[in-house]
Amino acid sequence: MTPVNPRLAISLAVIALMGLAGCSATPPPANTLAAATPEATQTNLIARGEYLTRIAGCNDCHTPGYAETGGEVPKAQWLLGSHLGWNGPWGTTYPVNIRLKLQEMDETGWMKFSGELHTRPPMPDFAVRAMTEDDRRAIYRFVRSLGPAGQKAPDYLPPGQTPQPPYVQWVLPSPPPATPAAS
């Protein structure tokens, strides 16, 4: 009897199982959210919103201690805003309490607001505007599911006003000194 190569046998078994699974499985609907019940759709959107909030970096600035702990902050403390200011030529900005901000608007208002968002640094507003409507809706539903909590973040300070600590100072490089012309 000829010995069988174990790798070949495993590969053939996997291919056979995949073929059988393909024959017996019913394909999922093209748009699973459209085919789902309203409760399942809401659950899916909230889960998607939580995922997007994690990977888009929302917590990095809007959740105190998130970056410092490698994301080990209880969800009940997410998105409460921060008193850490970001100071630069634009003035001083503070990460808003998103949970309170989203209590001020309905979903339609959020979709318009987030689709046209223009803020000051370091907020990557361009990333929010680039999200699909479904992604922005999912974030809205997730944040609203957390409920209101925390306090309002400090207000923006215009250039020239010194913020109270703590704040990060963005110092832009000076242009290099002019070199004297060779004579």
Side-chain angles (χ1 to χ4, degrees):
M1 180 168 201
T2 307
V4 177
N5 179 334
R7 288 184 191 171
L8 177 62
I10 291 171
S11 297
L12 291 173
V14 168
I15 290 170
L17 288 173
M18 288 172 57
L20 289 173
C23 292
S24 63
T26 306
N31 181 344
T32 55
L33 289 180
T37 64
E39 295 80 18
T41 300
Q42 175 72 355
T43 301
N44 290 343
L45 281 171
I46 290 171
R48 175 88 179 144
E50 179 179 347
Y51 169 76
L52 290 167
T53 299
R54 284 181 188 273
I55 67 161
C58 305
N59 284 312
D60 294 352
C61 293
H62 295 274
T63 300
Y66 192 86
E68 297 88 342
T69 63
E72 297 299 320
V73 173
K75 205 182 315 178
Q77 297 172 17
W78 283 18
L79 308 173
L80 297 178
S82 176
H83 285 78
L84 175 64
W86 296 89
N87 179 264
W90 61 86
T92 305
T93 53
Y94 297 87
V96 301
N97 180 327
I98 299 173
R99 290 167 67 168
L100 294 180
K101 182 73 175 172
L102 267 58
Q103 294 300 315
E104 298 171 0
M105 59 185 87
D106 62 12
E107 189 170 307
T108 302
W110 162 253
M111 296 305 289
K112 180 172 175 36
F113 174 81
S114 61
E116 300 171 354
L117 185 63
H118 288 277
T119 61
R120 295 176 185 91
M123 174 65 195
D125 54 14
F126 53 88
V128 176
R129 289 192 313 272
M131 290 179 178
T132 67
E133 285 189 5
D134 285 343
D135 286 347
R136 290 184 289 124
R137 180 172 289 107
I139 289 172
Y140 176 84
R141 300 265 181 102
F142 169 66
V143 174
R144 289 290 295 244
S145 77
L146 294 173
Q151 303 298 315
K152 184 178 178 291
D155 291 328
Y156 161 76
L157 295 175
Q161 290 190 17
T162 304
Q164 294 294 314
Y167 64 93
V168 175
Q169 177 75 50
W170 287 31
V171 179
L172 301 179
S174 302
T179 54
S183 41

